[in-house]
Amino acid sequence: MTTGAPKGENCLVDMDSKAGGLFGAEESHPTGTGGAGIMSKLWLPKGISASLMKEWLDKRRMSIRPWAGFVDQRKFSKPRNFGELCQRMVKNVDTYNSNYTFIFLGLILYCIVSSPMLLIALAVFVGAFYIIHLKSLESKLVIMGKELNVPHQMGLAGAVSLPVFWLAGAGAAVFWVLGATLFVIGSHAAFRELEGSDMEELLMEPV
């Protein structure tokens, strides 16, 4: 008499197929371009893939202005008036936007690494989402008659880990990162003198 339960090699094949669905590249990506399992669609909005993110980072890295010139103290001075301050802010943000982006990312990384509780909270969130996603692969997760898709699973994981984030002071960390970013970028953009090409471009603009 046979049963429906997999045995022996068939069981191994079944487990491999589940693992492949989680981490393999066979699972279709929401963008329709093919994905890399769960790792390619964890928190990326629809229409954005890991390859697009990598391409964006590569472009940012290639457009970075030399850091030596970025922090050259000889190029800093007090703006003479409010008009010059506004001109510097606009032009420097446009010129050094890639440098500012990596400063922002660096502050986020520093905030996470320097806070053990925040690291624990992130680990709890990732672990909760991983477990919920594994359960959804075994059987459909339904709450109030609605099946949980990936965004819903992330929301559930966030609700589970919310107390840990609260204990870790995640709200204060977010405000610290935003405040530090505005202070660093605003100060640099205001006091960094414009390059010669930028000054010529301003002089050529019609009044």
Side-chain angles (χ1 to χ4, degrees), residues 187-200:
S187 299
H188 182 275
F191 291 98
R192 178 62 164 82
E193 296 176 357
L194 299 179
E195 299 290 345
S197 58
D198 293 332
M199 290 296 297
E200 292 177 3

Side-chain angles (χ1 to χ4, degrees), residues 142-162:
V142 179
I143 295 181
M144 300 180 64
K146 189 171 184 180
E147 182 181 351
L148 297 183
N149 53 25
V150 173
H152 294 152
Q153 295 168 19
M154 292 183 65
L156 182 58
V160 171
S161 57
L162 182 61

Side-chain angles (χ1 to χ4, degrees), residues 35-181:
I38 185 177
M39 300 307 293
S40 66
K41 60 179 184 180
L42 281 183
W43 46 73
L44 297 180
K46 186 175 181 181
I48 300 179
S49 64
S51 60
L52 288 177
M53 291 294 294
K54 183 178 182 301
E55 182 181 353
W56 180 82
L57 285 174
D58 289 339
K59 287 182 178 179
R60 286 291 179 182
R61 191 161 53 242
M62 291 176 61
S63 60
I64 287 180
R65 292 299 183 98
W67 289 103
F70 181 80
V71 297
D72 188 356
Q73 296 181 0
R74 297 170 299 179
K75 297 291 186 178
F76 287 84
S77 65
K78 182 181 177 181
R80 290 170 295 183
N81 49 55
F82 183 73
E84 183 179 7
L85 172 66
C86 293
Q87 289 178 350
R88 287 187 180 185
M89 294 285 288
V90 172
K91 282 296 181 181
N92 283 330
V93 168
D94 182 61
T95 302
Y96 298 104
N97 63 82
S98 293
N99 299 70
Y100 294 153
T101 298
F102 280 96
I103 288 176
F104 175 65
L105 296 177
L107 288 172
I108 293 177
L109 183 61
Y110 170 78
C111 185
I112 294 174
V113 172
S114 62
S115 175
M117 280 298 297
L118 199 56
L119 283 173
I120 294 174
L122 288 173
V124 170
F125 170 77
V126 173
F129 175 70
Y130 180 74
I131 294 172
I132 293 171
H133 191 79
L134 283 180
K135 293 294 184 182
S136 70
L137 292 178
E138 296 175 358
S139 60
K140 293 183 178 180
L141 297 179
V142 179
I143 295 181
M144 300 180 64
K146 189 171 184 180
E147 182 181 351
L148 297 183
N149 53 25
V150 173
H152 294 152
Q153 295 168 19
M154 292 183 65
L156 182 58
V160 171
S161 57
L162 182 61
V164 187
F165 277 105
W166 181 77
L167 290 174
V174 170
F175 282 108
W176 182 88
V177 170
L178 292 177
T181 300

